[in-house]
Amino acid sequence: MNTAQKLLVDVHTHVYLPRYAQLLRSRTTAPRILTRLSGPDNKPEERLVILDNEPSGGRPVGAQYWDRDEKLAFMDKHGIDISIVSSANPWLDFLPASTARSLANELNDDLESYCSTSPIIAETRRKRLYGFGLLPLVPEITTESLLDTVQQIAALPHLKGIIMGTRGVGKGLDDEALDPVWAAIEKAGLVVFLHPHYGVDSKQWGEKDNGHVLPLALGFPFETTIATTRLILSGVFDRFPALRMLLAHSGGALPQLSSRLASCIDHDPVVASRLKHDARYYLGRLYYDAVAYGSAELRFVSDVIARSDSYSSTAASADSHVAPKLGSAQMMWGTDHPFFPPLSNTEKWKSVVENLDAITGVKEWTQEEKDGVRGGNALSLFNL
């Protein structure tokens, strides 16, 4: 692997662009940024409230959420060469269609400027920052508007994909109304970064105060698991086989449940004949961030990906001497910055250290495979 392929690339890192943060400050209901007095000195402190009834009245926010110099300083501190930056949830979900459309176009231009004017890595033509654009995926938006925005993103050279929540235009991502959008994204060669926001019904967490733990540790990954499964069941990956989708948080629980999913499909006449392949095949058509915090988890996801070709409908006639696809090649590192900061300014972020240690700790991976997950795979996926 050459020097360029050994670059450290962060594919899961967020920004609340100044235009977006200002909109959140103007709101009186979630999502919003509010100011309250905090600490013994009663100093004003901004807090981000993403969902109603968040514990602790939201989370403290500051320049690291929107200032590009802060993003670059974080990258420098941790030796990160390139970041693929995405606007953070809840994106535009809470806006009416007309506002969402205009704001999406403005924020995409803002993100292009944010990335295109970033520093260049020495002795390469690569910028340090690239981005995922936004679609105005809200109810009542027209297909024409969505297709126009896909074309806008495709024409912006430093935007390499689209970050997307799970609601689509209101009915979820398996809604057939999105087929023209999937087709346009596939044709443009953009990567879809599927990221959760709503979790699952909060009543499932009970009355005991467990802070953010259950919604973040379980609710977010379960949301991704359900949304991706619905995409598989709807045949989206059969109709658009070249669609490239990156799943947050290593695909949630889907790798662990994929064989159970396949069995349930096989025994259900409603869907048994709907798909071209066994459900486990589709997991190999997806990409996964390596934000799992543990070596055993990364190894398991890699193994699930690697076996996927054996579940193709044509696997029986395939050459038995062909080696299985390398599972780690579909995985890439991320930090989830600026969330989960350390308690001390001098301390390194656990999301960086633990996720890098997890890659190092997969004993079954070669050094080349580990370098791929750290950065080489992302360079390839995003054509960098």
Side-chain angles (χ1 to χ4, degrees):
M1 184 171 288
N2 62 39
T3 302
Q5 290 175 302
K6 290 186 179 180
L7 296 174
L8 185 59
V9 182
D10 184 354
V11 303
H12 189 157
T13 177
H14 299 298
V15 63
Y16 286 82
L17 290 163
R19 187 190 304 272
Y20 186 76
Q22 200 57 37
L23 170 67
L24 296 182
R25 291 188 184 99
S26 71
R27 291 177 53 79
T28 57
T29 57
R32 63 183 299 208
I33 293 176
L34 56 85
T35 301
R36 76 176 195 183
L37 300 180
S38 179
D41 298 327
N42 280 331
K43 290 184 178 180
E45 177 187 63
E46 286 196 314
R47 298 186 78 88
L48 172 65
V49 181
I50 299 179
L51 294 168
D52 290 322
N53 304 315
E54 281 199 52
S56 306
R59 69 194 73 211
V61 293
Q64 72 272 25
Y65 278 73
W66 42 78
D67 189 304
R68 189 181 66 178
D69 288 342
E70 291 282 340
K71 179 72 73 179
L72 291 168
F74 164 80
M75 293 169 62
D76 290 341
K77 181 175 182 177
H78 295 88
I80 301 169
D81 297 293
I82 296 174
S83 290
I84 317 293
V85 182
S86 52
S87 294
N89 48 309
W91 313 290
L92 308 173
D93 290 9
F94 56 95
L95 295 172
S98 59
T99 306
R101 179 182 182 180
S102 59
L103 187 59
N105 293 339
E106 292 168 348
L107 289 172
N108 289 332
D109 286 336
D110 289 350
L111 187 57
E112 171 65 19
S113 177
Y114 178 99
C115 298
S116 66
T117 58
S118 68
I120 296 175
I121 299 174
E123 300 180 0
T124 79
R125 295 182 179 181
R126 297 178 182 88
K127 292 285 187 178
R128 296 199 64 192
L129 297 172
Y130 296 88
F132 290 100
L134 278 173
L135 286 181
L137 285 168
V138 296
E140 300 182 4
I141 196 73
T142 66
T143 301
E144 181 183 7
S145 295
L146 293 173
L147 297 180
D148 285 346
T149 306
V150 171
Q151 292 307 310
Q152 179 209 16
I153 294 169
L156 295 172
H158 296 86
L159 301 192
K160 299 298 180 179
I162 295 167
I163 188 165
M164 191 177 290
T166 61
R167 286 195 171 180
V169 290
K171 296 182 180 180
L173 299 181
D174 55 354
D175 184 356
E176 287 80 2
L178 286 176
D179 273 11
V181 179
W182 298 129
I185 293 172
E186 180 185 53
K187 182 178 180 180
L190 295 168
V191 177
V192 175
F193 181 24
L194 181 59
H195 193 290
H197 169 65
Y198 299 98
V200 299
D201 188 344
S202 60
K203 294 178 182 178
Q204 301 297 322
W205 309 132
E207 297 181 2
K208 186 179 292 293
D209 182 5
N210 290 306
H212 289 95
V213 173
L214 289 170
L216 291 180
L218 303 183
F220 268 25
F222 288 172
E223 180 185 348
T224 301
T225 301
I226 294 167
T228 310
T229 301
R230 288 174 59 179
L231 283 168
I232 292 171
L233 294 177
S234 70
V236 163
F237 300 115
D238 286 331
R239 296 194 296 279
F240 309 102
L243 181 67
R244 299 183 298 167
M245 183 170 290
L246 169 66
L247 303 184
H249 312 121
S250 298
L254 184 58
Q256 173 66 43
L257 296 174
S258 56
S259 289
R260 179 177 176 85
L261 170 64
S263 178
C264 289
I265 291 172
D266 192 42
H267 290 85
D268 193 318
V270 174
V271 293
S273 61
R274 187 187 297 168
L275 304 180
K276 292 182 179 180
H277 307 278
D278 182 291
R280 287 164 284 194
Y281 167 80
Y282 300 100
L283 272 72
R285 313 277 76 74
L286 299 165
Y287 297 84
Y288 305 79
D289 73 17
V291 184
Y293 297 91
S295 300
E297 289 82 355
L298 296 184
R299 161 69 190 278
F300 181 82
V301 175
S302 174
D303 286 350
V304 169
I305 299 168
R307 73 179 186 181
S308 63
D309 281 346
S310 66
Y311 291 102
S312 166
S313 59
T314 59
S317 61
D319 186 346
S320 60
H321 299 292
V322 175
K325 184 169 60 176
L326 192 65
S328 67
Q330 305 286 107
M331 303 175 71
M332 50 211 73
W333 179 73
T335 66
D336 217 349
H337 181 264
F339 298 102
F340 308 111
L343 298 178
S344 166
N345 289 333
T346 59
E347 186 182 353
K348 286 198 171 184
W349 291 52
K350 284 189 174 182
S351 60
V352 175
V353 175
E354 291 181 2
N355 283 310
L356 283 175
D357 286 348
I359 295 169
T360 301
V362 183
K363 297 178 181 179
E364 295 78 8
W365 288 352
T366 66
Q367 186 60 47
E368 184 176 2
E369 290 173 79
K370 293 174 183 179
D371 287 340
V373 178
R374 292 188 187 106
N377 299 341
L379 297 178
S380 176
L381 178 64
F382 295 103
N383 297 317
L384 299 180

